[in-house]
Amino acid sequence: MLKKRIIPCLDIKDGRVVKGINFEGLRYAGNPVELASRYAQEGADELVFLDITATLEKRKTLASLVTEIAKEINIPFTVGGGINTPDDAEYLISRGADKVSINSSAVKNPELINQIAKNCGSQAVVLAIDAKKVNGNWEVFINGGKTATGIELTSWAKYGEQLGAGEILLTSMNNDGTKNGFAIDALNLVGNNVNIPVIASGGAGSMEHFTTVFSETKATAALAASIFHYNEINISQLKNYLQQNNLPVR
């Protein structure tokens, strides 16, 4: 059984960490460099940095901040937001990112997945998918969750894998920030149809939610934000809890 990974996520707006509910109502959650350093010390397995307004504001990711964080941590570091070309991806990797996360740009230009995978390796390409349940079906959304695409979740995940994505970061917009638990049905739809690792995102509110997602889906990692930012759950304590529940962690 693959050892499970715990991944804190820094959602960045205007150079600061923010968090909302269902992608709305953002509030300040801390200094990105300080939080990154704290998470590395607490035993986080990886760190995700998402510049959440880069696509909407039609600008590149905050590269200087990426470099600053990379210097502070010694764990794999994924960066997303505003990556529209293979050069954008290579530049962020040169600034300290280990992987890049692409979302809206991949939907608009699926060949981008293949191009980055060829240049940087599949292991460096995380296909981030923001999905929302609409009339009983999971649909892919882009532009920070603002724009419906009409694309069905499973078909997009499978296509992303075919194009060379090495991992899928699946965020349920319905569950995001609610602390009611992960979207088990969406995770199973994807996990049962792809052969690459799936990161569960959206809805973590308790240690039990992590046990559930790892027991009931094929997710190999779980990502959370506010529960870590506001010290509601400590990462090292969470890992001890999972081990006590016979879930192997890194």
Side-chain angles (χ1 to χ4, degrees), residues 210-224:
F210 289 85
T211 315
T212 302
V213 79
F214 289 142
S215 303
E216 297 184 11
T217 77
K218 293 179 179 174
T220 59
L223 176 146

Side-chain angles (χ1 to χ4, degrees), residues 125-138:
V125 185
V126 178
L127 176 60
I129 304 176
D130 294 332
K132 187 176 185 181
K133 203 168 200 176
V134 181
N135 299 323
N137 296 309
W138 286 96

Side-chain angles (χ1 to χ4, degrees), residues 8 35-44 47 72-75 235:
L35 284 174
S37 178
R38 189 183 101 202
Y39 295 144
Q41 289 166 9
E42 279 183 18
L47 183 72
E72 286 289 320
I73 62 175
N74 57 355
I75 53 176
I235 292 171

